[in-house]
Amino acid sequence: MLLFFILGLFVHFVFFGSIFDIYFTSPLVHGMTPQFTPLPPPAKRLVLFVADGLRADTLYELDENGNSRAPFIRNIIMHEGSWGLSHTRVPTESRPGHVALIAGFYEDVSAVAKGWKENPVEFDSLINESKYTWSWGSPDILTMFAKGAYGDHVFTYTYDADSEDFGARDVTKLDTWVFDKVKEFFHAARNNQSLFSKLNEEKIVFFLHLLGIDTNGHAHRPSSREYKDNIKLVDAGIKEMVSILEHFYGNDGKTAFIFTSDHGMTDWGSHGAGHPSETLTPFVTWGAGIKYPQKVSAQKFDDAFLKEWRLESWKRQDIHQADIAPLMASLIGVPFPLNSVGILPVDYLNNTDLFKAESMFTNAIQILEQFKVKMTQKKEVTLPFLFIPFKLLPESKQLNIVRKARSYIKQRKYDEAVSLCKELIHLALKGLSYYHTYDRFFLAINVVLGFLGWTSYASLLIIKSHFNLTRGVNKEVKKPSHLLSCSCIAIGVFVAFFLLLQGCPWTYYIYCLLPVPIWYAVLREFQVIQDFVTLLLTIPPSYFVGYLLVFILGIEILVLSFFYRYMLTAGLLAFAGWPFITQLWTQAKSISLSWIFFSLLLAVFPLMPVVGRKPDIFLVMGAGLLVLLLSLCVLTSLIKRKDSFINEELLLHLFQMLSVVLSMCVMYSTHSSLRKKQGLPLLNQIISWLILAFSLVLPLLSPTSLFERLFSILLSLMSTYILLSTGYEALFPLVLSCLMFVWIQVEQETLQQRGISCKQKVTSVRFTCSTDITQFRQLYLDDVRRAFFLVFFLVTAFFGTGNIASVNSFDLASVYCFLTVFSPFMMGALMMWKILIPFVLVMCAFEAVQLTTQLSSKSLFLMVLVISDIMALHFFFLVKDYGSWLDIGTSISHYVIVMSMTIVLVFLNGLAHLLTTKKLRLCGKPKSHLI
């Protein structure tokens, strides 16, 4: 059993990781020659302002009084520069956003393993190509560009990481710190001859990273007064910085300014996925080399933003985020970043047509260089007869376009040259994508084979263990033929040799070789497959088709629930009607009524607002009071039922109730303190961590009787969940647990109707480690329904708390009782535990169902894995890297979530077994806990 679960974990980790190798690998290549425009640049220096987490709509729109929140930036748009929207890509995080801005390429998702802080791969950037760069801001962002730069020409000034505190009285200090340090810097430069001479060099960059807006967005949401006031502060600060710079350089007209953002933010204060609120960021530029505002009578865009922002008369020019890097390089005359895939937005340039054409030509050659290197690399590691070149851009066409573009420039046909260069860039980018995804189909086929093989193998294990198919037919047990073994070994050797010749990375060996032993294990059970097919043929076709359709419908409802949460409501309504189509309603009306009531009550939650609703502390307090009320009822019932209620059990119960009370007090106190901007009280933080630590220990001290142990688990986890709640989701685990208690009784009743088990009250059943229930009975068709119920409840446990099927499905406000200083992994771990608590409750109930229905935990759990894997295979085929970034981000999120759920399920099964069966004793003699 243990070996099987380890194997299962390994297989699912491989499936999980495959998505990143197939769709999201590093796009970088090395070995290109630097390219730069051979004409004098319009600017000597560039100032880059990045307002982290700033949404485009919040900046551009007018407030309720018809005034701009950023009057200086709006004045630039109308009188001095050019503007538009910068379209970012998934993942909308700070590190990949800044990499796209400054290096010109879109970083792969592997950077998440480094917390977006360090360089998973080395890359070139504008900062590296500059003569000197001075930067001020967050240590998370600035240090990664300083680390990746060559030489000692990059100077960074950062505040302490602890300053990034979401609970601080005034997080705008992160931005005022930057502005103050820049002022001090230029003041000091007048008295420092060495610094003064460096500042008067050409090709220098000033980078101001402004984190206050992002921090306020996380802490208070983008609709808050704090977020909007921070925009006003940044606008005033930029105005002052521009004035200081112009004065320092004597208004020489050689400074170019760019103001933008790395990513936006959802209404609930998160980012990471592909919603327009995350991918649409502002872009405003002015100064040397930049066009002045262009008045227009009409503009055609698919959105209504221009009218909403009252900017219809000023020409809007949208760009992709990576296009900013070549624009900045062109303005100050440095080589384009080697790995940049950005296309120079020449319409922003206020320069001669010759300069635009030469800059565009340089851009085209720089991207073509990457295409050539990528093609050469792929050709070198592919067998000649298998290599399929990119047909749209053969070498002859490359030379022809380059010669033709150069000829156009010499003939002063600049517009034609620019158009031809754009054509070459688009073809080269398509070619880069072609070679980057060259192995995608090959890898996907192998992963699908692994998926199908694993699902078949798990199904065969269930069939073999619980259907006596072959004993009546076979007189002897057949051993697997040597032909099958030799064939699988030969296939494995051939695949390994093929991959070795191709020079493939080690992960390819796993994806390609893993299906071989899995399918060997499947095919060696050929007799079982044959006998099972024979058994299926004895079933009336109408029955078989009917059951198959019901199973497919159930799977599709689960898949659709990732897109439409109300499908879970429809499913729970069907669950509520289930007793009426069985004998349950006639034989156990009280249990049936409870099942119907709690199913209908739980059905409300998927219809509730998703993450991002306004916090409601009173709902959290209400949930705590309901838990206390239920605890008192249970305590009274236990005292009446037990002749002698042990003191330590009573103390434990009271201590758990006290934990709930403390959680309520800490939650209310923390909420009040943060609202007054007094920060997180230290005492509250200590109590919160203590409650979290004890929540997994206290249930192990409770009696192992089924009802008492499950209720103890509920009390302990609810005390933690209250601390992590911000609204109605605090009620969800309580309602879910009530339904789980009823489910345990319902399953016992349904089994009783078959006359299988002797009637035993749930209250008298005890969890135990030593009971072997694998010999109790074989599987029935109804057990498939039990497995489906579990998967359905697990999916409901995720979506019922307001989560959405996206990687940005989180609210940082959930962790403010534990910490407010930015710590991505710690905050992520706490939010993950919040998501997992309802899962744990469901899995503990599942342990009880297995016990009361006398069913093998291995077989039932295998059925759950089969259902989950079928769902995962659905989402594997739905993953896309084309279309809108919302679609791309959503498709990735779906697969990641369902695979994570499947992997975590294995761990949760062990955790639930530990929580329900283990018994800790602080004192006294151990007691027996057998049924």
Side-chain angles (χ1 to χ4, degrees):
M1 179 72 171
L2 179 62
L3 182 62
F4 173 79
F5 279 132
I6 292 172
L7 176 63
L9 269 177
F10 173 73
V11 169
H12 284 89
F13 271 120
V14 170
F15 293 157
F16 180 81
S18 67
I19 196 71
F20 300 105
D21 257 334
I22 294 173
Y23 290 95
F24 308 103
T25 52
S26 176
L28 299 188
V29 290
H30 300 284
M32 293 80 67
T33 306
Q35 305 289 328
F36 59 90
T37 307
L39 296 174
K44 289 183 177 181
R45 65 202 70 90
L46 173 85
V47 184
L48 174 62
F49 301 99
V50 178
D52 204 303
L54 175 60
R55 288 168 53 145
D57 56 352
T58 317
L59 175 77
Y60 289 139
E61 70 186 6
L62 303 178
D63 62 20
E64 56 276 6
N65 298 320
N67 299 319
S68 174
R69 295 189 185 93
F72 177 73
I73 294 297
R74 196 171 183 90
N75 180 69
I76 294 291
I77 293 171
M78 294 179 174
H79 301 103
E80 295 186 39
S82 298
W83 77 287
L85 290 178
S86 170
H87 296 260
T88 70
R89 287 192 182 183
V90 177
T92 47
E93 295 287 349
S94 290
R95 179 200 158 88
H98 281 89
V99 169
L101 279 170
I102 299 172
F105 72 91
Y106 300 105
E107 195 168 37
D108 64 293
V109 186
S110 67
V112 75
K114 300 274 188 176
W116 307 122
K117 294 181 182 181
E118 295 188 18
N119 298 347
V121 287
E122 292 303 320
F123 58 85
D124 190 24
S125 72
L126 175 84
I127 288 175
N128 183 56
E129 296 290 355
S130 67
K131 183 71 176 288
Y132 294 108
T133 293
W134 288 270
S135 55
W136 298 264
S138 167
D140 297 341
I141 300 301
L142 303 191
T143 52
M144 76 175 182
F145 288 106
K147 181 180 177 182
Y150 305 108
D152 57 353
H153 66 286
V154 179
F155 308 96
T156 61
Y157 304 89
T158 64
Y159 39 74
D160 191 75
D162 291 340
S163 300
E164 300 173 23
D165 187 349
F166 298 117
R169 178 181 290 274
D170 183 15
V171 296
T172 59
K173 65 183 181 183
L174 298 175
D175 296 336
T176 54
W177 184 94
V178 171
F179 296 137
D180 290 342
K181 291 298 179 183
V182 174
K183 284 189 283 186
E184 292 172 11
F185 173 79
F186 280 101
H187 179 73
R190 294 189 179 277
N191 302 315
N192 185 328
Q193 189 57 43
S194 173
L195 178 58
F196 188 83
S197 61
K198 287 179 180 177
L199 289 172
N200 281 282
E201 295 275 4
E202 295 182 352
K203 302 178 181 180
I204 64 173
V205 175
F206 300 105
F207 174 29
L208 282 70
H209 177 247
L210 307 166
L211 188 61
I213 293 174
D214 182 75
T215 308
N216 261 318
H218 286 309
H220 305 288
R221 293 179 171 78
S223 59
S224 66
R225 180 178 56 81
E226 290 83 358
Y227 185 87
K228 294 172 181 176
D229 286 348
N230 205 152
I231 294 175
K232 295 178 182 178
L233 182 143
V234 165
D235 181 71
I238 291 174
K239 181 180 180 180
E240 186 180 10
M241 294 302 101
V242 171
S243 175
I244 289 172
L245 279 156
E246 296 288 15
H247 181 260
F248 184 86
Y249 288 107
N251 294 303
D252 63 353
K254 291 294 183 179
T255 308
F257 298 92
I258 287 179
F259 173 69
T260 187
S261 175
D262 54 346
H263 57 75
M265 189 171 286
T266 61
D267 292 338
W268 53 91
S270 69
H271 50 81
H275 191 272
S277 63
E278 300 166 88
T279 59
L280 298 182
T281 59
F283 180 73
V284 182
T285 181
W286 68 100
I290 299 296
K291 272 187 180 178
Y292 287 99
Q294 301 172 65
K295 283 252 186 175
V296 290
S297 56
Q299 302 185 69
K300 290 185 179 179
F301 286 95
D302 294 333
D303 53 62
F305 293 145
L306 287 170
K307 189 175 181 180
E308 292 173 12
W309 301 335
R310 299 184 191 175
L311 290 170
E312 307 100 308
S313 302
W314 286 269
K315 187 176 181 181
R316 166 183 155 191
Q317 302 177 69
D318 287 8
I319 60 173
H320 294 289
Q321 194 172 48
D323 299 342
I324 298 173
L327 175 63
M328 294 190 293
S330 176
L331 287 172
I332 59 174
V334 299
F336 287 27
L338 292 174
N339 303 113
S340 171
V341 294
I343 303 173
L344 177 66
V346 288
D347 290 337
Y348 271 94
L349 294 175
N350 180 22
N351 213 315
T352 63
D353 289 340
L354 172 61
F355 182 85
K356 292 178 183 178
E358 286 286 2
S359 296
M360 205 71 213
F361 184 79
T362 302
N363 193 189
I365 296 300
Q366 172 257 324
I367 292 177
L368 183 62
E369 282 278 315
Q370 292 183 73
F371 168 78
K372 289 179 178 179
V373 171
K374 192 79 173 178
M375 181 182 69
T376 303
Q377 288 179 352
K378 184 52 64 178
K379 195 172 183 178
E380 287 175 351
V381 296
T382 305
L383 297 174
F385 65 91
L386 292 177
F387 181 71
I388 305 172
F390 182 61
K391 295 178 181 178
L392 296 179
L393 193 59
E395 190 173 356
S396 58
K397 190 170 184 177
Q398 297 172 35
L399 294 171
N400 183 45
I401 293 177
V402 171
R403 279 199 299 261
K404 203 170 182 181
R406 178 48 66 191
S407 175
Y408 279 147
I409 292 173
K410 287 181 180 179
Q411 297 171 28
R412 298 185 179 181
K413 296 179 179 179
Y414 301 125
D415 290 340
E416 290 87 343
V418 168
S419 297
L420 201 58
C421 289
K422 285 184 178 179
E423 180 189 345
L424 179 58
I425 288 172
H426 286 297
L427 286 172
L429 289 175
K430 282 184 179 179
L432 272 173
S433 176
Y434 172 79
Y435 288 118
H436 185 58
T437 60
Y438 193 85
D439 298 325
R440 178 173 296 178
F441 181 74
F442 171 68
L443 291 176
I445 288 292
N446 282 279
V447 171
V448 169
L449 283 173
F451 251 119
L452 294 175
W454 169 258
T455 306
S456 302
Y457 179 61
S459 302
L460 281 173
L461 284 180
I462 299 168
I463 293 166
K464 189 177 179 182
S465 300
H466 292 274
F467 290 87
N468 191 10
L469 299 173
T470 58
R471 289 182 189 175
V473 179
N474 297 334
K475 300 299 180 184
E476 59 181 13
V477 179
K478 293 184 178 180
K479 294 182 178 179
S481 67
H482 290 295
L483 178 62
L484 178 62
S485 303
C486 293
S487 299
C488 287
I489 291 171
I491 291 171
V493 170
F494 173 77
V495 169
F497 185 68
F498 174 77
L499 295 175
L500 185 65
L501 286 176
Q502 299 261 78
C504 295
W506 64 271
T507 51
Y508 282 37
Y509 288 84
I510 297 176
Y511 303 139
C512 299
L513 291 174
L514 184 62
V516 177
I518 291 177
W519 278 105
Y520 170 73
V522 172
L523 293 175
R524 67 182 298 188
E525 304 294 346
F526 178 75
Q527 189 62 52
V528 177
I529 298 171
Q530 191 177 42
D531 292 340
F532 185 65
V533 171
T534 305
L535 176 66
L536 290 179
L537 292 175
T538 62
I539 301 173
S542 58
Y543 276 32
F544 176 75
V545 172
Y547 285 129
L548 185 62
L549 287 176
V550 169
F551 181 75
I552 293 172
L553 178 63
I555 295 291
E556 292 306 315
I557 286 175
L558 290 173
V559 171
L560 285 172
S561 68
F562 279 70
F563 299 92
Y564 313 103
R565 293 170 72 238
Y566 59 78
M567 293 302 297
L568 293 173
T569 298
L572 287 166
L573 291 177
F575 282 12
W578 173 60
F580 295 107
I581 61 174
T582 64
Q583 298 178 8
L584 195 63
W585 175 252
T586 56
Q587 296 187 4
K589 283 194 175 180
S590 60
I591 294 175
S592 298
L593 285 171
S594 299
W595 171 262
I596 293 167
F597 174 74
F598 287 114
S599 294
L600 293 176
L601 195 56
L602 196 66
V604 175
F605 284 91
L607 301 177
M608 299 291 279
V610 296
V611 288
R613 67 269 167 186
K614 188 177 180 181
D616 192 335
I617 194 69
F618 295 105
L619 281 176
V620 181
M621 295 297 104
L625 290 173
L626 284 175
V627 172
L628 290 175
L629 181 62
L630 185 62
S631 300
L632 288 173
C633 294
V634 170
L635 184 60
T636 305
S637 173
L638 288 174
I639 291 173
K640 286 181 179 178
R641 193 174 71 245
K642 288 194 173 186
D643 297 330
S644 57
F645 199 70
I646 304 172
N647 286 336
E648 65 180 58
E649 294 178 12
L650 177 61
L651 286 173
L652 175 64
H653 199 95
L654 292 174
F655 187 76
Q656 288 183 303
M657 290 175 66
L658 177 62
S659 294
V660 174
V661 173
L662 279 174
S663 295
M664 293 168 63
C665 293
V666 168
M667 166 56 69
Y668 186 82
S669 171
T670 301
H671 179 78
S672 177
S673 179
L674 293 177
R675 190 175 56 189
K676 295 174 183 176
K677 297 186 178 180
Q678 295 174 349
L680 171 61
L682 179 60
L683 180 62
N684 290 12
Q685 189 176 20
I686 293 171
I687 293 173
S688 297
W689 284 106
L690 286 174
I691 289 173
L692 174 62
F694 282 114
S695 64
L696 291 175
V697 177
L698 291 178
L700 304 181
L701 299 172
S702 65
T704 54
S705 60
L706 187 146
F707 182 79
E708 289 181 64
R709 177 54 68 93
L710 289 180
F711 192 75
S712 178
I713 293 169
L714 171 62
L715 272 183
S716 286
L717 295 182
M718 273 303 296
S719 61
T720 301
Y721 201 81
I722 287 171
L723 292 171
L724 293 167
S725 297
T726 60
Y728 73 82
E729 79 271 21
L731 296 164
F732 179 80
L734 188 59
V735 177
L736 178 67
S737 296
C738 290
L739 183 60
M740 292 298 98
F741 279 117
V742 178
W743 183 35
I744 295 165
Q745 294 178 315
V746 163
E747 293 299 356
Q748 193 183 38
E749 285 292 337
T750 54
L751 203 64
Q752 180 68 20
Q753 290 168 14
R754 287 179 170 269
I756 294 171
S757 72
C758 55
K759 184 78 172 182
Q760 186 180 22
K761 290 184 178 181
V762 172
T763 52
S764 64
V765 176
R766 289 183 179 274
F767 288 110
T768 176
C769 301
S770 59
T771 306
D772 181 12
I773 60 173
T774 57
Q775 301 175 1
F776 280 13
R777 66 177 181 85
Q778 293 182 344
L779 286 176
Y780 295 102
L781 197 59
D782 207 32
D783 293 318
V784 179
R785 190 260 313 154
R786 289 186 178 93
F788 176 79
F789 270 26
L790 174 64
V791 178
F792 189 93
F793 286 137
L794 288 171
V795 174
T796 305
F798 180 79
F799 291 107
T801 56
N803 293 307
I804 57 174
S806 173
V807 293
N808 66 10
S809 180
F810 62 84
D811 183 355
L812 285 179
S814 300
V815 304
Y816 288 169
C817 286
F818 294 89
L819 76 165
T820 54
V821 175
F822 181 62
S823 176
F825 289 115
M826 185 62 72
M827 288 179 163
L830 287 168
M831 287 186 285
M832 182 59 69
W833 181 235
K834 178 186 177 181
I835 290 172
L836 290 180
I837 284 175
F839 282 61
V840 174
L841 294 172
V842 173
M843 290 303 296
C844 288
F846 184 55
E847 282 284 322
V849 168
Q850 291 173 157
L851 186 63
T852 56
T853 56
Q854 301 175 341
L855 182 62
S856 165
S857 59
K858 175 186 174 183
S859 298
L860 203 52
F861 190 69
L862 276 175
M863 285 192 287
V864 170
L865 284 183
V866 168
I867 295 171
S868 300
D869 286 339
I870 293 172
M871 288 173 60
L873 195 57
H874 267 75
F875 290 118
F876 181 83
F877 286 116
L878 292 173
V879 171
K880 57 175 72 172
D881 63 348
Y882 58 87
S884 73
W885 285 108
L886 177 60
D887 293 337
I888 294 169
T890 301
S891 70
I892 300 166
S893 299
H894 287 169
Y895 183 76
V896 168
I897 288 169
V898 76
M899 282 305 301
S900 299
M901 190 175 76
T902 307
I903 292 170
V904 168
L905 207 56
V906 179
F907 289 107
L908 290 183
N909 189 56
L911 178 60
H913 186 73
L914 174 71
L915 287 174
T916 54
T917 59
K918 297 297 179 183
K919 172 72 175 174
L920 294 180
R921 293 206 162 272
L922 299 178
C923 59
K925 296 179 181 180
K927 295 183 179 180
S928 174
H929 293 287
L930 299 178
I931 295 176

